[in-house]
Amino acid sequence: MASDQENSQDANAPDDTSEKEITRGITIMKSIIRDRDKAVTYNVNWNADNQLIGSNAAKLASYIGTLVRMHIPITATRWSNKELGSAKDKIWTEILRSFNIEDTTIRKKYILQLAGKRHRGWRTFLTNKYLKDKEKNFVEYDPEYPVKYAIFITEEEWVAFVARRRDENFKKVSATNRERASNPTYAYKKGRLGYARLEEKILDETKSDATSLPPHVLWKEARVGKDGTVRDDVQHIYDECETLSQSISTAEDQENRSVLSRALNVPEYPGRVRGKGHGCTPTSLYKNPRRRNPSNQEVMETLQALQAQVLQLQKDNERYRCMEKCSSQLKETSEKASINCQNKFPEGISSCQLYLSSPTYRLVGKGKVHNTSGDLLHHRPLPDGHLKVSVDVVLDKDALLPIPDIVSETTLLRDEIGSFVAWPLDLIIIDDEVFPQGSQQLSQKIGSRQKNKRDLPVKYLPKKGAFVPRYQICLETLVDSSDMATTGAIRLLDMEEDIFGYSCTETIGKEDLEHIFRHQELGVGVIHTYIRFLYDNFMRGNDQLSNRFHFVSSSLVNKALICREPDSCREYLVKRFMASSTNNLYLWPYNSGCHWLLLAIDPLKEVVYFLNSIDGEWTNYPDMKQLVDTSIKVFRSQRQARVPRTKSSNITWIKVQCPLQRNGIDCGYFVMRFMREIINMNQIEIPSTYFDEYKCAHYTRLQLEQIKEELCQYFIEKRLISI
């Protein structure tokens, strides 16, 4: 059988005298092993359909069979079994050592699929050789253990293999397949040549400039015998394919059934092309995949797109009704309506933020509100309950105007940048209510000892002493109305290479945001998002800050990884330190498993600042300390720094008397505020008693709410949560 032939190759061991009926030895491909030891590798070629061709194709196929017998047990019944993953990787690695093949996904997939065929052929050969008689019926006696293949098969594997092959269900399947293959209607007559090498042979003999042949041409040539005659039924199928190819376009051929499948009147199977052989797929032949039935996810995406179209139509309908209403209001507005100075807002021109309440309450832009007596909009009186606003920045590019501009027929907010629009009173927030900066009185309220007016900008200074977390409320509304609440969807935040020294994506789920809203313990996703906020709002575009401060990823270096993969943690830290050209401070939020603390590392001066909000010592974290010390020493060695002998083994650790938390929850919020204050002070050296500007025994709840408000505002402005 073909499977028997597949196990006969060009390099053989001496004959085994224990089985006289077999005249050749087992295939172990000694020549390839010898060449590999001499650093000799073989070149292989690929055709336009990504199939293996060339003079070394057969050698590679034989070597794959040898590797399969060495690494894959005969008891493996399913090639797709995940337990075979490591063995498959070994096969791929061994092939790359001896053959010049690109280490790509498409090449690896092809080779491993070919290995799967060799494994099935190997099992079939053993079955036919030892478990069946000459009439191909299963023998009743227990077959002997094949000593000849002892290097590939253990006795335990052989017993298990025989038991499975003698199962009645397997016998039924085997009989069915044997009957189906015993008398093919159109017999293949090219032995082990295969379609790919047959195509190569034809193109070479005809000296054609073509890179491939149609499937039906190859199918016909594969059924021509040694005498060169073509059976009438084969020629009839070929002629019918030629006729069909003139009337069927390539698109039809791809989307439905190929001309060969039509002529043969057989179904088309996914992932293969009839008449082209192993490795050729609809993707490689047609340069794009065949159409298939949409998946459940694709159906849902289509449904969501249709729902979005319906929603847009509803918005358009609402907009036109609003335009009619506006026109009616403008006609009925009296002269008194033009005296539109509102007591709620300060007189004159004030910076403001613009919100919309439909379909959700959200921030859509920024501008200036003009609250002056007798002000008109485009020479017309303002509608009741509205103020004149100039648009400076648009944060939601799809936001609609509350009242469309009748003069210019504009409906989108983005088209009104630099122009004036009418905006509802209850959707305007004056910036003074949101961002009072450098307030001496507020600094005293929150317990800071401000000396240089470097305190954080405090959000939402309440006029009557009440704090309103506007951004948290807005973000929570957005989350509850988004797919994060209904389907558990996540959001992805790209982290640039400059932040952690490598590009990555941070995952944000609903539970992460719930921790902020409920003031619960924070995860690494929230901490990293705040680091991205600090980078975008303080360091981006500021060469002094961006060159002075850097961050260490808590995903790559934490307690679990330090214990499990200390070498990779050390390599990452050293790589980060090697980016230092001058004195830098590396801020590392460290998670000990149940607690956040901050390390600020100056690798050039070999100083580590330890900021712990529960007043613990660094000696409580020996694995972390050992990693930092070792990384600094390796960094010292790689930059060939000369250190006095008295300091060669001493790295300075400084415990900073930072504000302390009063519960078991606030550690993550403290770490975020520590990082903000350090960057805000713009100093490499951190005083052991902490900065005078921020020195206090404990952060107040309001000071932590400031951090949360900044974080929620960042989520909104980055449009990470949208409907």
Side-chain angles (χ1 to χ4, degrees), residues 11 21 58 71 90 97 100 104 133 152 180 183 269 331 368 388 407 466 576 598 602 604 638 646 648 718:
E21 72 278 5
H71 296 290
K90 289 181 181 179
R97 293 178 63 187
N100 295 323
T104 60
D133 55 23
F152 301 134
R180 182 180 60 183
N183 188 25
Y269 298 103
K331 292 179 181 179
K368 295 180 178 62
K388 180 179 177 180
V407 177
R576 288 298 284 147
L598 181 66
D602 185 343
L604 287 176
Q638 292 190 5
T646 56
S648 60
K718 293 292 289 185

Side-chain angles (χ1 to χ4, degrees), residues 202-245:
I202 295 173
L203 293 176
D204 289 342
E205 291 176 349
T206 59
K207 297 181 179 180
S208 172
D209 294 332
T211 57
S212 64
L213 297 174
H216 67 277
V217 174
L218 282 176
W219 180 87
K220 172 190 171 184
E221 292 297 329
R223 282 149 184 83
V224 176
K226 294 182 179 179
D227 57 359
T229 59
V230 182
R231 285 172 34 186
D232 292 340
D233 54 351
V234 172
Q235 184 64 43
H236 173 72
I237 295 296
Y238 173 79
D239 293 339
E240 187 172 351
C241 288
E242 286 289 302
T243 303
L244 288 172
S245 63

Side-chain angles (χ1 to χ4, degrees), residues 32 87 136 194 203 243 382 390 417 446 476 557 659 664 713 715:
I32 294 180
K136 302 303 178 183
L203 293 176
T243 303
L382 285 164
S390 60
I417 294 179
I446 64 174
E476 188 170 6
V557 191
Q713 179 187 3
F715 274 109

Side-chain angles (χ1 to χ4, degrees), residues 634-642:
V634 174
F635 168 65
R636 177 202 303 164
S637 174
Q638 292 190 5
R639 67 187 180 93
Q640 298 179 349
R642 294 184 178 181

Side-chain angles (χ1 to χ4, degrees), residues 37-56:
D37 295 339
K38 298 176 183 178
V40 176
T41 57
Y42 300 92
N43 294 323
V44 295
N45 301 320
W46 305 85
N47 63 13
D49 298 320
N50 288 319
Q51 294 173 295
L52 187 64
I53 58 173
S55 58
N56 291 321

Side-chain angles (χ1 to χ4, degrees), residues 320-387:
Y320 292 130
R321 290 201 310 268
C322 186
M323 290 176 66
E324 294 178 358
K325 178 181 178 182
C326 179
S327 299
S328 175
Q329 285 180 341
L330 290 176
K331 292 179 181 179
E332 298 175 359
T333 303
S334 63
E335 293 294 331
K336 294 182 180 181
S338 65
I339 310 301
N340 198 29
C341 183
Q342 303 291 331
N343 294 328
K344 178 181 178 181
F345 297 94
E347 293 188 21
I349 302 175
S350 306
S351 296
C352 66
Q353 296 188 5
L354 307 177
Y355 286 77
L356 287 178
S357 58
S358 177
T360 59
Y361 184 80
R362 66 197 189 281
L363 175 67
V364 296
K366 298 180 181 181
K368 295 180 178 62
V369 59
H370 296 248
N371 188 27
T372 57
S373 299
D375 206 354
L376 301 176
L377 179 64
H378 304 311
H379 307 290
R380 296 170 181 265
L382 285 164
D384 290 340
H386 291 69
L387 282 178

Side-chain angles (χ1 to χ4, degrees), residues 86-98:
S86 59
K88 292 179 182 178
D89 290 338
K90 289 181 181 179
I91 293 174
W92 176 239
T93 301
E94 288 297 322
I95 290 173
L96 291 179
R97 293 178 63 187
S98 299

Side-chain angles (χ1 to χ4, degrees), residues 289-306:
R290 291 180 174 173
R291 286 189 179 179
R292 55 180 175 76
N293 293 331
S295 63
N296 292 338
Q297 181 179 357
E298 292 171 337
V299 171
M300 292 301 299
E301 290 175 352
T302 303
L303 179 60
Q304 291 175 0
L306 292 174

